[in-house]
Amino acid sequence: MAIMPGNSSQPSSLTFQPVLERIATEIAQTPGRGRPADYIPALAACDPRRFGMAVAELDGTVYGVGDWRQPFSTQSITKVFTLALDLAREGDALWEHVGREPSGNPFNSLVQLEYENGIPRNPFINAGALVVTDRLQTRTGDAAGTLLEFLRAESGNERLAFDRDIAASETANGDRNAALAHFMASYGNIDNPVPVLLDQYFLQCSIAASCADLALATGFLARHGIRADGGRLLSRSQAKQINAIMLTCGTYDAAGDFAYRVGLPGKSGVGGGIIAVVPGRCTLCVWSPGLDDRGNSVAGVAALDRFTTLTGLSVF
Amino acid sequence: MAIMPGNSSQPSSLTFQPVLERIATEIAQTPGRGRPADYIPALAACDPRRFGMAVAELDGTVYGVGDWRQPFSTQSITKVFTLALDLAREGDALWEHVGREPSGNPFNSLVQLEYENGIPRNPFINAGALVVTDRLQTRTGDAAGTLLEFLRAESGNERLAFDRDIAASETANGDRNAALAHFMASYGNIDNPVPVLLDQYFLQCSIAASCADLALATGFLARHGIRADGGRLLSRSQAKQINAIMLTCGTYDAAGDFAYRVGLPGKSGVGGGIIAVVPGRCTLCVWSPGLDDRGNSVAGVAALDRFTTLTGLSVF
Amino acid sequence: MAIMPGNSSQPSSLTFQPVLERIATEIAQTPGRGRPADYIPALAACDPRRFGMAVAELDGTVYGVGDWRQPFSTQSITKVFTLALDLAREGDALWEHVGREPSGNPFNSLVQLEYENGIPRNPFINAGALVVTDRLQTRTGDAAGTLLEFLRAESGNERLAFDRDIAASETANGDRNAALAHFMASYGNIDNPVPVLLDQYFLQCSIAASCADLALATGFLARHGIRADGGRLLSRSQAKQINAIMLTCGTYDAAGDFAYRVGLPGKSGVGGGIIAVVPGRCTLCVWSPGLDDRGNSVAGVAALDRFTTLTGLSVF
Amino acid sequence: MAIMPGNSSQPSSLTFQPVLERIATEIAQTPGRGRPADYIPALAACDPRRFGMAVAELDGTVYGVGDWRQPFSTQSITKVFTLALDLAREGDALWEHVGREPSGNPFNSLVQLEYENGIPRNPFINAGALVVTDRLQTRTGDAAGTLLEFLRAESGNERLAFDRDIAASETANGDRNAALAHFMASYGNIDNPVPVLLDQYFLQCSIAASCADLALATGFLARHGIRADGGRLLSRSQAKQINAIMLTCGTYDAAGDFAYRVGLPGKSGVGGGIIAVVPGRCTLCVWSPGLDDRGNSVAGVAALDRFTTLTGLSVF
């Protein structure tokens, strides 16, 4: 049934193009299900029927289908890159300020933060991403700019940019993130002034990029830490560690379900995008704005589920 | 640095024996750290300096080092097998009664159970394992016996048996599990009388087995659902799903840390054992009674960490 | 507007009879609102239009209106008497096993019990009443019998009895209380076997009594600890303390609202009864089976609200 | 034993002066116990051995002992006055924005706020006081100024003033209150910009006043809503309601204990002051900076305990 040899120990010489086309056909009815995020107007206005998917091989070859060259709002997907950029600079000292355990039910986020003295459970919940951004800001003086420069370099797309309208909308709706930041600051776990931190945080989330851009930018995680230009960003061990955190914490309160269905390290955003990693083999990005009730793209998860079923490229 | 070719896509013809011996040497100072579980006398009496480790290849070849043939109390490790045995019978209907998401901080276990109407987060927390045992009991009339028979068959060790002293000790200390069972029963999520269920549950946890036994018994998860005798217990997809749940939920509130350090699906028990799976390649079991403050064997985690570092056999 | 002199410092020589009749007229439309408790059939079968109210003066003179002589299921009202009976025997040592602070939202009951190491917040939540019953059982060997004997003596009604059908229904629906008892036992805060404790607990709750019976039985709290026969059950300070706990904890998660509207120490039960105390002056019992969403009798609270408004006999 | 007739139904013509002097003698060893609040330097610098106590009769006659004319930082005591001032303007509509139930364990404050959609449990926890201040600010344009003017008028002390150093210190340590305000704003339960609200809130808490000032300013609650000049601030029912909320929620997580020991409506502040009300009879204020582990003045609670024991002037 597999259209590629169904075992990660025997990588195929076939290209991914027919796989992507078959997936697009098979899930053609899925885009449009779910609902775009509606807490800011720019996201709510997205057409939920949009769908794109891209696969990038280790050497930068990219395959795509649908709206795979259409920029969308990256949102929480950028948390992966911010984590990598800070970890590259700070190393394990970061883990004194943020954990790497799944957070359980979102209902408990605040009580957990209180119970654990202002140390968020992992870098991919909002509280944890605020801490990582704060630390990257301290180390670079320009967390959002550092991130944008990295994404441009890895994707080769110099036109990547902040969407300042989206950032402004986020700020106007930012009371909950402000609450988290002040709460952690009360435990001494935030270095920068909260308004500065929030500006940096919302700028990062506002970056627009396409499936092709993001599949390429994620490549360093499949290449065990090596950037597109051959330089090393992370040690082999650090790259593996980020993959592990993506698998256990990358899709909000559906990480278990995502691991169960897809079986790849992944990170989703409320813009409808999801990136995923097949270590040593390739990276993926899929986009479709309709979200399920846990905030993950309905068609995106379905497409990745089909991908691992068709190719056997799951880590399990 | 790797003494085996460091990539899971290129399986080695070398045996695992030298790897195990090197690990035993390298971590020689670790056994003895941590503390054995002390809530029942039989566990507290274990010598924390004991250490054993076994690797089983897909064909049943087993390698071992240290106390790898010494039986120890399996405890929560059996939750994996009970899950597989029920899933094989019940299929996806099981997931209406237990979730598959990490549970977050143990502090929140009860409030989460209350918030989510008596549906435990996953099959590996005690509440979830009680539900799975209850369902297997309903389907077989003898959950513990079904489990024991399975472990004997897969390990080829007919002497495996319940330790009724340990089961009695657990019962005498079983108020917290009784509370969980009654609490879920109040939501209609338990079928059998609570005392019957607790008997079955504690019998399962009491089984004594060695690293060799457990590495062999876990083989079906590396063989994508195929039992030792070539028969199929689980579909390929179900085997992958159990691996995913082990990775995200298998080591109490340290699943993220275990994924980060070891990078393999694993399940630990308070007897000091840990089983782990390299899908398509081999299975492992390590044992050393000294536990860290999250209930996982200190030397066991360290040995698995060394194993994936030395062999490159991580899923990430 | 007050039909009695509106100040507790000037007790009236008038009888309470016209007050009760006026209240019954004014709230004639209220009985029937709310819903009887439906978790056991015997309670669900109650006619929500029933309404009775009684006032007992310090000397045992009783006034009544409506169904004030009709027995109903006392349920949690008995928690007050069990507390008094244990406190009389044990004194302040009791407070090492149960607190006296309001419990906040019921959602948090279990997490609070966990956070506070198995010590319930107060004697009137179920967990706390289980602890008090357990301790009275240890001291008397027959907690329920001790309670029944006390109620008979204070009310002068020798026909008061357990309703064993209701007790059996409670037992059959007792999983949540069993969970609480086992959970506290896991912290060492329960002395007796859980099944023994639950039997005693459910027997107590099953006692049927009328408004007249309960208003009389509550008299010792208005008489600063003196029983109907002139003997002392509690010290003046202990009687005051029980009144304080009733005011802050007596009506589930509506204690603040009850204090705000009624302004008297009170204790409600899901059978639709509420007892209340005007220290130094009189005691009340009102009954109507329709409950609000926090478990208190709709007509009962309304009638007590009218009583304190009409008489000025609030503690504030 | 009582040096005043021991029953609230027989008020004495004796003055309170000898009672206060006896209390001061009896608890002479208590001031100095506990620890002053240390989260801002101005409070930490207080001498814990200071002790003052004042009683004001309904007509404004004041008795005092010790440091009863020494101004101290009122802190949370002002929450009572802000509540009264807003309730006088807004009436029951306020209760759509803040509850009146005890909050239970402080650990749960944030989770409760989340569980109950940004509606704080009562006006005396910080979250609730922020809401009340926000609403008074909306209605007056100057919440803190309105409060200061009221306190000056009721106490007759025109020198009462904000302590801007303390307000600045609070602001510098205000991350937790900022978190609460932003969190409630995310639910739409805050009208004013968070920085404006925090300024108003911290200014209120900074007011310095003496026991004499505060006993007088509290008089309207003993006079059933009537101000010092004879005008009506609150209806009789509203005054009773504020007393009820003080009794059930006025002393942090020790409201049950305070009711149990003292038996009067009271409100404490971390500056070491406590006000209390004997409805229809008198008001009290006691001050001593050493706090117990729940934030209430050790000597203050002890002195009020002695007062109700000696005079019988408890509400129970």
Side-chain angles (χ1 to χ4, degrees), chain A residues 9 95 100-102 104-105 112 116 121 240-241 244 247 253-257 259-261 279 316, chain B residues 9 95 100-102 104-105 112 116 121 240-241 244 247 253-257 259-261 279 315-316:
Chain A
S9 59
W95 305 117
R100 37 192 201 231
E101 295 302 325
N105 198 294
Q112 237 164 10
E116 300 181 337
R121 293 279 290 179
K240 165 183 151 182
Q241 290 161 358
L247 193 84
D253 193 36
D257 200 54
Y260 180 93
R261 288 183 62 187
F316 298 119
Chain B
S9 62
W95 305 117
R100 37 194 200 228
E101 294 301 326
N105 198 295
Q112 238 164 8
E116 300 182 338
R121 294 280 289 179
K240 164 183 152 183
Q241 289 160 359
L247 193 84
D253 194 36
D257 200 54
Y260 180 93
R261 288 182 62 188
V315 302
F316 298 118

Short mmCIF file of all heavy atoms in Angstrom, two decimals, chain A residues 9 95 100-102 104-105 112 116 121 240-241 244 247 253-257 259-261 279 316, chain B residues 9 95 100-102 104-105 112 116 121 240-241 244 247 253-257 259-261 279 315-316:
data_model
loop_
_atom_site.label_atom_id
_atom_site.label_comp_id
_atom_site.label_asym_id
_atom_site.label_seq_id
_atom_site.Cartn_x
_atom_site.Cartn_y
_atom_site.Cartn_z
N SER A 9 14.37 2.92 7.50
CA SER A 9 15.75 2.43 7.38
C SER A 9 16.12 2.22 5.91
O SER A 9 17.25 1.91 5.61
CB SER A 9 15.93 1.13 8.16
OG SER A 9 15.04 0.15 7.66
N TRP A 95 17.50 25.88 30.78
CA TRP A 95 16.56 24.96 31.43
C TRP A 95 16.37 25.24 32.91
O TRP A 95 15.56 24.58 33.57
CB TRP A 95 16.98 23.51 31.18
CG TRP A 95 17.11 23.24 29.71
CD1 TRP A 95 18.25 22.89 29.04
CD2 TRP A 95 16.08 23.33 28.72
NE1 TRP A 95 17.99 22.76 27.69
CE2 TRP A 95 16.67 23.03 27.47
CE3 TRP A 95 14.73 23.66 28.75
CZ2 TRP A 95 15.95 23.03 26.27
CZ3 TRP A 95 14.00 23.67 27.56
CH2 TRP A 95 14.62 23.36 26.35
N ARG A 100 10.80 21.21 30.36
CA ARG A 100 10.56 20.56 29.08
C ARG A 100 9.60 19.40 29.23
O ARG A 100 9.72 18.39 28.55
CB ARG A 100 11.89 20.14 28.44
CG ARG A 100 12.89 19.66 29.44
CD ARG A 100 14.27 19.53 28.88
NE ARG A 100 14.98 18.64 29.75
CZ ARG A 100 16.17 18.87 30.28
NH1 ARG A 100 16.83 19.97 30.00
NH2 ARG A 100 16.74 18.00 31.06
N GLU A 101 8.62 19.60 30.10
CA GLU A 101 7.58 18.60 30.27
C GLU A 101 6.27 19.09 29.65
O GLU A 101 6.00 20.29 29.66
CB GLU A 101 7.34 18.32 31.77
CG GLU A 101 8.52 17.68 32.47
CD GLU A 101 8.94 16.36 31.86
OE1 GLU A 101 8.07 15.63 31.38
OE2 GLU A 101 10.15 16.07 31.83
N PRO A 102 5.48 18.15 29.15
CA PRO A 102 4.16 18.54 28.64
C PRO A 102 3.38 19.25 29.74
O PRO A 102 3.59 19.02 30.93
CB PRO A 102 3.50 17.20 28.29
CG PRO A 102 4.62 16.23 28.15
CD PRO A 102 5.72 16.71 29.04
N GLY A 104 -0.04 19.33 30.16
CA GLY A 104 -1.37 18.86 30.53
C GLY A 104 -2.42 19.85 30.11
O GLY A 104 -2.18 20.74 29.28
N ASN A 105 -3.57 19.72 30.73
CA ASN A 105 -4.72 20.52 30.35
C ASN A 105 -4.45 22.01 30.42
O ASN A 105 -3.90 22.50 31.41
CB ASN A 105 -5.83 20.17 31.32
CG ASN A 105 -7.14 20.60 30.77
OD1 ASN A 105 -7.37 21.79 30.64
ND2 ASN A 105 -7.97 19.64 30.43
N GLN A 112 -0.36 25.76 37.47
CA GLN A 112 0.91 25.08 37.37
C GLN A 112 2.06 26.08 37.49
O GLN A 112 3.05 25.84 38.17
CB GLN A 112 0.99 24.36 36.03
CG GLN A 112 1.23 22.90 36.15
CD GLN A 112 0.93 22.15 34.88
OE1 GLN A 112 0.70 22.71 33.82
NE2 GLN A 112 0.93 20.85 34.99
N GLU A 116 4.71 25.86 40.41
CA GLU A 116 6.12 25.64 40.09
C GLU A 116 6.90 26.95 40.07
O GLU A 116 7.88 27.09 39.32
CB GLU A 116 6.24 24.82 38.79
CG GLU A 116 5.53 23.47 38.98
CD GLU A 116 5.58 22.53 37.79
OE1 GLU A 116 5.76 22.99 36.64
OE2 GLU A 116 5.42 21.32 38.00
N ARG A 121 6.21 25.16 32.09
CA ARG A 121 6.46 23.75 31.87
C ARG A 121 7.34 23.47 30.66
O ARG A 121 8.13 22.54 30.67
CB ARG A 121 5.14 23.01 31.67
CG ARG A 121 4.28 22.98 32.89
CD ARG A 121 4.68 21.92 33.88
NE ARG A 121 4.40 20.58 33.40
CZ ARG A 121 4.68 19.48 34.08
NH1 ARG A 121 5.23 19.57 35.27
NH2 ARG A 121 4.41 18.31 33.60
N LYS A 240 18.48 16.96 18.51
CA LYS A 240 17.64 15.84 18.95
C LYS A 240 16.72 16.29 20.08
O LYS A 240 15.53 15.93 20.13
CB LYS A 240 18.56 14.70 19.41
CG LYS A 240 17.90 13.61 20.23
CD LYS A 240 18.93 12.57 20.71
CE LYS A 240 18.50 11.92 22.03
NZ LYS A 240 19.50 10.96 22.54
N GLN A 241 17.24 17.09 20.98
CA GLN A 241 16.45 17.54 22.12
C GLN A 241 15.26 18.40 21.68
O GLN A 241 14.15 18.28 22.21
CB GLN A 241 17.35 18.28 23.11
CG GLN A 241 18.31 17.32 23.82
CD GLN A 241 19.50 18.01 24.45
OE1 GLN A 241 19.66 19.22 24.34
NE2 GLN A 241 20.36 17.23 25.09
N ALA A 244 12.66 16.22 20.36
CA ALA A 244 11.94 15.55 21.45
C ALA A 244 10.89 16.48 22.07
O ALA A 244 9.76 16.07 22.35
CB ALA A 244 12.93 15.08 22.52
N LEU A 247 7.92 16.79 19.82
CA LEU A 247 7.04 15.62 19.84
C LEU A 247 6.16 15.61 21.08
O LEU A 247 4.98 15.27 21.03
CB LEU A 247 7.84 14.32 19.76
CG LEU A 247 6.94 13.13 19.47
CD1 LEU A 247 6.69 12.99 17.97
CD2 LEU A 247 7.50 11.85 20.02
N ASP A 253 -2.56 20.98 23.68
CA ASP A 253 -2.98 19.84 24.49
C ASP A 253 -3.32 18.63 23.62
O ASP A 253 -4.05 17.74 24.04
CB ASP A 253 -4.17 20.23 25.37
CG ASP A 253 -4.42 19.17 26.45
OD1 ASP A 253 -3.43 18.60 26.94
OD2 ASP A 253 -5.59 18.92 26.76
N ALA A 254 -2.79 18.57 22.40
CA ALA A 254 -3.03 17.41 21.54
C ALA A 254 -1.71 16.72 21.19
O ALA A 254 -1.65 15.98 20.21
CB ALA A 254 -3.77 17.84 20.28
N ALA A 255 -0.68 16.95 21.98
CA ALA A 255 0.63 16.37 21.64
C ALA A 255 0.56 14.84 21.63
O ALA A 255 1.12 14.19 20.75
CB ALA A 255 1.69 16.85 22.63
N GLY A 256 -0.16 14.28 22.59
CA GLY A 256 -0.29 12.83 22.60
C GLY A 256 -1.03 12.34 21.37
O GLY A 256 -0.64 11.36 20.73
N ASP A 257 -2.10 13.02 21.03
CA ASP A 257 -2.88 12.62 19.87
C ASP A 257 -2.08 12.78 18.58
O ASP A 257 -2.16 11.94 17.67
CB ASP A 257 -4.14 13.49 19.82
CG ASP A 257 -5.23 12.86 18.98
OD1 ASP A 257 -5.58 11.70 19.27
OD2 ASP A 257 -5.72 13.51 18.04
N ALA A 259 1.22 12.66 18.29
CA ALA A 259 2.22 11.58 18.26
C ALA A 259 1.56 10.27 17.85
O ALA A 259 2.11 9.47 17.09
CB ALA A 259 2.88 11.44 19.64
N TYR A 260 0.36 10.05 18.34
CA TYR A 260 -0.39 8.82 18.09
C TYR A 260 -0.78 8.71 16.61
O TYR A 260 -0.66 7.66 16.00
CB TYR A 260 -1.63 8.87 18.98
CG TYR A 260 -2.59 7.72 18.92
CD1 TYR A 260 -2.48 6.65 19.80
CD2 TYR A 260 -3.67 7.74 18.03
CE1 TYR A 260 -3.41 5.61 19.78
CE2 TYR A 260 -4.58 6.71 18.00
CZ TYR A 260 -4.45 5.64 18.87
OH TYR A 260 -5.37 4.62 18.85
N ARG A 261 -1.22 9.85 16.05
CA ARG A 261 -1.68 9.81 14.65
C ARG A 261 -0.54 10.00 13.67
O ARG A 261 -0.46 9.33 12.65
CB ARG A 261 -2.72 10.91 14.40
CG ARG A 261 -4.05 10.63 15.04
CD ARG A 261 -5.07 11.72 14.70
NE ARG A 261 -5.33 11.80 13.25
CZ ARG A 261 -6.05 12.75 12.69
NH1 ARG A 261 -6.59 13.71 13.43
NH2 ARG A 261 -6.25 12.77 11.38
N PRO A 279 13.69 13.12 11.20
CA PRO A 279 15.12 13.30 11.45
C PRO A 279 15.98 12.51 10.45
O PRO A 279 15.70 11.34 10.17
CB PRO A 279 15.29 12.75 12.88
CG PRO A 279 13.95 12.93 13.52
CD PRO A 279 12.97 12.67 12.41
N PHE A 316 8.11 6.10 14.90
CA PHE A 316 7.76 4.93 15.73
C PHE A 316 7.69 3.64 14.91
O PHE A 316 7.22 3.64 13.79
CB PHE A 316 6.43 5.16 16.44
CG PHE A 316 6.49 6.32 17.38
CD1 PHE A 316 5.67 7.42 17.20
CD2 PHE A 316 7.41 6.34 18.43
CE1 PHE A 316 5.73 8.50 18.05
CE2 PHE A 316 7.47 7.42 19.30
CZ PHE A 316 6.64 8.51 19.09
N SER B 9 19.13 4.28 10.07
CA SER B 9 18.84 3.82 8.72
C SER B 9 19.90 2.83 8.22
O SER B 9 19.77 2.29 7.14
CB SER B 9 18.73 5.02 7.77
OG SER B 9 19.94 5.71 7.73
N TRP B 95 -10.65 4.35 23.58
CA TRP B 95 -10.30 5.77 23.74
C TRP B 95 -11.46 6.65 24.13
O TRP B 95 -11.30 7.84 24.35
CB TRP B 95 -9.62 6.28 22.46
CG TRP B 95 -8.43 5.44 22.11
CD1 TRP B 95 -8.26 4.68 20.99
CD2 TRP B 95 -7.26 5.21 22.91
NE1 TRP B 95 -7.06 4.00 21.04
CE2 TRP B 95 -6.43 4.31 22.21
CE3 TRP B 95 -6.84 5.68 24.16
CZ2 TRP B 95 -5.21 3.87 22.70
CZ3 TRP B 95 -5.63 5.24 24.66
CH2 TRP B 95 -4.82 4.35 23.93
N ARG B 100 -5.15 10.03 25.69
CA ARG B 100 -3.76 9.68 25.37
C ARG B 100 -2.89 10.93 25.36
O ARG B 100 -1.97 11.06 24.55
CB ARG B 100 -3.68 8.91 24.05
CG ARG B 100 -4.64 9.39 23.03
CD ARG B 100 -4.81 8.45 21.87
NE ARG B 100 -5.36 9.22 20.79
CZ ARG B 100 -6.41 8.85 20.06
NH1 ARG B 100 -6.96 7.69 20.25
NH2 ARG B 100 -6.86 9.62 19.11
N GLU B 101 -3.22 11.84 26.27
CA GLU B 101 -2.41 13.04 26.42
C GLU B 101 -1.58 12.97 27.70
O GLU B 101 -2.03 12.39 28.69
CB GLU B 101 -3.30 14.29 26.49
CG GLU B 101 -4.07 14.58 25.21
CD GLU B 101 -3.17 14.77 24.02
OE1 GLU B 101 -2.07 15.31 24.19
OE2 GLU B 101 -3.57 14.36 22.91
N PRO B 102 -0.41 13.57 27.68
CA PRO B 102 0.39 13.64 28.92
C PRO B 102 -0.44 14.29 30.02
O PRO B 102 -1.34 15.09 29.75
CB PRO B 102 1.57 14.52 28.52
CG PRO B 102 1.63 14.48 27.04
CD PRO B 102 0.24 14.25 26.56
N GLY B 104 0.73 16.11 32.70
CA GLY B 104 1.25 17.26 33.42
C GLY B 104 1.57 16.87 34.84
O GLY B 104 1.67 15.70 35.19
N ASN B 105 1.69 17.90 35.66
CA ASN B 105 2.10 17.70 37.03
C ASN B 105 1.21 16.74 37.80
O ASN B 105 0.00 16.84 37.75
CB ASN B 105 2.05 19.07 37.71
CG ASN B 105 2.84 19.06 38.96
OD1 ASN B 105 2.48 18.36 39.89
ND2 ASN B 105 3.92 19.79 38.98
N GLN B 112 -7.70 17.16 37.43
CA GLN B 112 -7.87 16.90 36.01
C GLN B 112 -8.95 15.84 35.79
O GLN B 112 -9.80 15.97 34.92
CB GLN B 112 -6.56 16.40 35.42
CG GLN B 112 -6.06 17.27 34.30
CD GLN B 112 -4.60 17.02 33.99
OE1 GLN B 112 -3.97 16.10 34.49
NE2 GLN B 112 -4.06 17.85 33.14
N GLU B 116 -12.26 16.62 33.79
CA GLU B 116 -12.54 15.88 32.56
C GLU B 116 -13.49 14.71 32.81
O GLU B 116 -13.43 13.69 32.10
CB GLU B 116 -11.22 15.49 31.89
CG GLU B 116 -10.41 16.74 31.57
CD GLU B 116 -9.09 16.50 30.85
OE1 GLU B 116 -8.53 15.39 30.93
OE2 GLU B 116 -8.59 17.45 30.21
N ARG B 121 -6.28 10.93 31.81
CA ARG B 121 -5.55 11.51 30.67
C ARG B 121 -4.91 10.47 29.77
O ARG B 121 -4.83 10.67 28.57
CB ARG B 121 -4.45 12.44 31.19
CG ARG B 121 -4.96 13.67 31.89
CD ARG B 121 -5.41 14.74 30.96
NE ARG B 121 -4.29 15.38 30.29
CZ ARG B 121 -4.43 16.34 29.39
NH1 ARG B 121 -5.63 16.78 29.06
NH2 ARG B 121 -3.39 16.88 28.82
N LYS B 240 2.42 1.30 16.52
CA LYS B 240 2.99 2.64 16.44
C LYS B 240 2.33 3.55 17.49
O LYS B 240 2.99 4.35 18.16
CB LYS B 240 2.76 3.19 15.03
CG LYS B 240 2.93 4.69 14.85
CD LYS B 240 2.60 5.12 13.42
CE LYS B 240 2.11 6.56 13.37
NZ LYS B 240 1.72 7.00 12.03
N GLN B 241 1.03 3.40 17.66
CA GLN B 241 0.31 4.25 18.61
C GLN B 241 0.77 4.00 20.05
O GLN B 241 0.93 4.94 20.83
CB GLN B 241 -1.20 4.01 18.46
CG GLN B 241 -1.73 4.60 17.15
CD GLN B 241 -3.05 4.02 16.71
OE1 GLN B 241 -3.61 3.15 17.36
NE2 GLN B 241 -3.57 4.51 15.59
N ALA B 244 3.96 5.66 20.56
CA ALA B 244 3.78 7.11 20.72
C ALA B 244 3.35 7.44 22.14
O ALA B 244 3.83 8.41 22.74
CB ALA B 244 2.73 7.62 19.72
N LEU B 247 6.24 7.21 24.49
CA LEU B 247 7.16 8.33 24.42
C LEU B 247 6.60 9.55 25.13
O LEU B 247 7.34 10.27 25.81
CB LEU B 247 7.47 8.69 22.96
CG LEU B 247 8.65 9.64 22.86
CD1 LEU B 247 9.96 8.85 22.88
CD2 LEU B 247 8.59 10.49 21.62
N ASP B 253 6.00 12.14 35.38
CA ASP B 253 6.11 13.54 35.00
C ASP B 253 7.49 13.87 34.43
O ASP B 253 7.93 15.01 34.44
CB ASP B 253 5.78 14.44 36.20
CG ASP B 253 5.56 15.88 35.76
OD1 ASP B 253 5.00 16.09 34.67
OD2 ASP B 253 5.96 16.79 36.51
N ALA B 254 8.19 12.85 33.94
CA ALA B 254 9.50 13.10 33.33
C ALA B 254 9.51 12.67 31.87
O ALA B 254 10.58 12.46 31.30
CB ALA B 254 10.58 12.37 34.12
N ALA B 255 8.33 12.55 31.26
CA ALA B 255 8.29 12.07 29.87
C ALA B 255 9.06 13.02 28.95
O ALA B 255 9.78 12.58 28.05
CB ALA B 255 6.84 11.93 29.41
N GLY B 256 8.92 14.31 29.17
CA GLY B 256 9.64 15.25 28.33
C GLY B 256 11.14 15.10 28.53
O GLY B 256 11.92 15.08 27.57
N ASP B 257 11.55 14.98 29.76
CA ASP B 257 12.97 14.84 30.05
C ASP B 257 13.52 13.53 29.48
O ASP B 257 14.64 13.49 28.96
CB ASP B 257 13.17 14.87 31.57
CG ASP B 257 14.59 15.21 31.94
OD1 ASP B 257 15.08 16.25 31.46
OD2 ASP B 257 15.21 14.44 32.69
N ALA B 259 12.32 11.85 26.87
CA ALA B 259 12.41 12.01 25.41
C ALA B 259 13.63 12.84 25.05
O ALA B 259 14.34 12.56 24.08
CB ALA B 259 11.14 12.68 24.88
N TYR B 260 13.89 13.86 25.84
CA TYR B 260 15.00 14.78 25.60
C TYR B 260 16.35 14.08 25.76
O TYR B 260 17.26 14.26 24.96
CB TYR B 260 14.85 15.92 26.62
CG TYR B 260 15.86 17.01 26.61
CD1 TYR B 260 15.64 18.17 25.87
CD2 TYR B 260 17.01 16.93 27.39
CE1 TYR B 260 16.56 19.22 25.90
CE2 TYR B 260 17.93 17.97 27.42
CZ TYR B 260 17.70 19.11 26.67
OH TYR B 260 18.60 20.14 26.70
N ARG B 261 16.45 13.24 26.81
CA ARG B 261 17.73 12.58 27.07
C ARG B 261 17.88 11.29 26.28
O ARG B 261 18.95 11.00 25.75
CB ARG B 261 17.89 12.25 28.56
CG ARG B 261 18.13 13.46 29.43
CD ARG B 261 18.32 13.05 30.88
NE ARG B 261 19.47 12.19 31.09
CZ ARG B 261 19.78 11.58 32.23
NH1 ARG B 261 18.98 11.76 33.27
NH2 ARG B 261 20.82 10.81 32.34
N PRO B 279 11.94 1.11 17.35
CA PRO B 279 11.02 0.50 16.39
C PRO B 279 11.77 -0.08 15.18
O PRO B 279 12.65 0.57 14.62
CB PRO B 279 10.12 1.66 15.98
CG PRO B 279 10.16 2.60 17.13
CD PRO B 279 11.56 2.50 17.66
N VAL B 315 15.00 7.84 18.22
CA VAL B 315 14.02 8.10 17.16
C VAL B 315 14.14 9.51 16.60
O VAL B 315 13.49 9.83 15.61
CB VAL B 315 12.57 7.84 17.63
CG1 VAL B 315 12.41 6.41 18.12
CG2 VAL B 315 12.14 8.84 18.67
N PHE B 316 14.93 10.35 17.23
CA PHE B 316 15.01 11.75 16.78
C PHE B 316 16.27 12.02 15.96
O PHE B 316 17.32 11.46 16.24
CB PHE B 316 14.94 12.70 17.97
CG PHE B 316 13.66 12.59 18.72
CD1 PHE B 316 13.64 12.18 20.04
CD2 PHE B 316 12.45 12.87 18.10
CE1 PHE B 316 12.46 12.07 20.73
CE2 PHE B 316 11.26 12.74 18.80
CZ PHE B 316 11.27 12.34 20.12
#
